Amino acid sequence: IYGGYSASAGTGASFPNLSVNTNNGIQLEDMSDLKVRHTLFFELGHVSLNGWNLVVGERYPGNITGYDENSFVITGTQPGGGFLYREQVSASDSLVVFPMGAAHNDYSPVAVKNNGNTPADLHARVFDSVYQQAISGQVMGPGHVQKTWNVVQGGTAANDLSVWLQYNRQDEGPLYALNRDSSYVTAFAGDGWDSVPP
């Protein structure tokens, strides 16, 4: 599908609503982001970003419905790729879900709650592996879940966000699986990963 939108410029054509109902799903065409102003409805199949971006909402986060472990947004397995955007997420929106995964059989969604006073444009993606420098460097070893979620808050306000993550057990490294009861989530703080549990 050629969406005719530019997520970086915030301009271009858009769909009021979009329903996905095909075994093969849909894939974004090169050089084209896609925007759905109101509701993205998954009936059957995936939306594969193919390195581009999908924006849902028009001055509010919009709605994504019908998603599950078989129908979601595919962001890609590598650090570079497309993002799923939700516009103007505010505290009154409660929990906003980004139904996504790195590949067809790899549902790894993230949900975000904005605890701040200022609405924020949020975008997220997930990819396989954990790198020393977030998106570069050596792959970190068997003590980690081999999955990285990249959640970005747009705008100038730095709202406090609560984030929920989900992954598949097969993404656990063997050392992680042995120590699951003492595991914790780490965040990349610009110069390295947090190493102290919250």
Side-chain angles (χ1 to χ4, degrees):
I1 187 169
Y2 186 87
Y5 189 75
S6 169
S8 60
T11 59
S14 62
F15 290 86
N17 303 293
L18 182 66
S19 178
V20 180
N21 187 3
T22 170
N23 281 327
N24 296 325
I26 61 173
Q27 177 175 300
L28 298 192
E29 184 61 66
D30 282 344
M31 307 298 291
S32 173
D33 298 328
L34 172 66
K35 180 168 182 172
V36 179
R37 296 191 308 274
H38 301 295
T39 300
L40 171 63
F41 177 43
F42 285 96
E43 295 183 71
L44 176 67
H46 298 85
V47 175
S48 180
L49 297 185
N50 194 30
W52 301 98
N53 302 294
L54 170 60
V55 180
V56 178
E58 176 74 24
R59 297 185 300 276
Y60 83 111
N63 302 296
I64 303 178
T65 61
Y67 57 85
D68 61 18
E69 68 276 6
N70 299 308
S71 297
F72 53 87
V73 177
I74 298 173
T75 58
T77 59
Q78 300 301 312
F83 282 87
L84 172 57
Y85 285 71
R86 307 293 300 266
E87 286 196 5
Q88 295 296 289
V89 175
S90 69
S92 64
D93 293 311
S94 190
L95 205 60
V96 175
V97 177
F98 291 73
M100 60 187 184
H104 282 83
N105 296 315
D106 192 14
Y107 186 51
S108 307
V110 62
V112 180
K113 183 178 187 308
N114 183 351
N115 301 310
N117 297 320
T118 307
D121 292 337
L122 302 175
H123 56 281
R125 69 179 317 273
V126 61
F127 59 88
D128 294 338
S129 299
V130 179
Y131 295 90
Q132 281 185 329
Q133 297 299 314
I135 59 171
S136 64
Q138 288 186 313
V139 174
M140 298 180 73
H144 302 84
V145 170
Q146 295 303 305
K147 195 67 60 185
T148 300
W149 290 265
N150 187 352
V151 179
V152 181
Q153 183 177 178
T156 56
N159 289 305
D160 173 38
L161 304 177
S162 296
V163 178
W164 288 262
L165 308 171
Q166 178 182 320
Y167 67 91
N168 296 310
R169 283 274 176 97
Q170 65 262 24
D171 294 320
E172 294 181 352
L175 290 178
Y176 181 93
L178 287 173
N179 299 286
R180 188 182 299 121
D181 61 343
S182 60
S183 66
Y184 57 92
V185 175
T186 64
F188 191 79
D191 58 353
W193 294 98
D194 288 339
S195 58
V196 179

